[in-house]
Amino acid sequence: MENSKVLVIDDDPMTCNLLETILQMENHQTVSVNHIDAQGIVPILDSKQPDLVIMDYHLGPVESLKYTKAIRASDKWQNLPIIMTSAIDRRQEAMEAGATDFILKPFDWEELTQHVRMLKNNADQEVPPQNSHKF
């Protein structure tokens, strides 16, 4: 779990800073993005190579559900753990769109780190496909 790379996506830079600080204190590498341009989420994932994404439900005027669906449609990123966040309980919509987990704002430090730890541990325990090779 330690040294995993977490991509934080939120249109509020202060929220990104808060999440990055919390995660860095737990020995995670972090990177944040404040918006997603017309090219979409997959190029960002390809560039940043995260082990887990924490994404706000609302990115400016856009609901980020379409980005969650794009991640799930990607062969490379379809199993990437996604934690959606919002100040409004949008758990059902987020989970239906493909989020792995949902956390209600304001963040509780312990809850956040527990969810990240659980998802990362689950991802680490997944069995790789039989035709994959480790180099």
Side-chain angles (χ1 to χ4, degrees):
M1 160 90 176
E2 292 185 14
N3 296 321
S4 62
K5 188 171 188 181
V6 180
L7 172 61
V8 177
I9 305 173
D10 197 299
D11 59 340
D12 178 21
M14 288 179 55
T15 300
C16 287
N17 288 338
L18 170 67
L19 289 172
E20 286 195 85
T21 299
I22 291 170
L23 293 165
Q24 289 169 4
M25 291 177 72
E26 295 289 323
N27 297 318
H28 297 286
Q29 298 174 33
T30 62
V31 63
S32 63
V33 174
N34 297 112
H35 72 280
I36 299 172
D37 63 22
Q39 294 192 18
I41 185 93
V42 173
I44 294 171
L45 299 176
D46 290 340
S47 169
K48 306 298 183 188
Q49 295 291 309
D51 298 308
L52 185 141
V53 172
I54 298 176
M55 183 168 33
D56 189 29
Y57 186 91
H58 290 97
L59 296 173
V62 178
E63 288 184 354
S64 56
L65 297 179
K66 70 179 185 178
Y67 303 125
T68 304
K69 291 175 183 176
I71 293 169
R72 294 298 174 238
S74 165
D75 288 339
K76 181 177 181 181
W77 298 106
Q78 66 185 346
N79 295 318
L80 181 69
I82 304 168
I83 299 175
M84 297 283 293
T85 67
S86 180
I88 301 168
D89 189 352
R90 300 287 190 197
R91 176 180 302 276
Q92 182 175 345
E93 296 94 332
M95 301 303 277
E96 287 172 359
T100 314
D101 202 353
F102 182 88
I103 298 177
L104 199 57
K105 294 179 182 179
F107 299 109
D108 173 273
W109 176 328
E110 291 179 6
E111 177 187 18
L112 175 69
T113 58
Q114 180 182 15
H115 284 247
V116 169
R117 189 176 309 113
M118 178 191 67
L119 289 176
K120 182 63 178 123
N121 287 341
N122 288 346
D124 288 346
Q125 293 176 9
E126 286 184 7
V127 176
Q130 292 182 4
N131 61 352
S132 71
H133 302 285
K134 286 194 168 188
F135 296 97

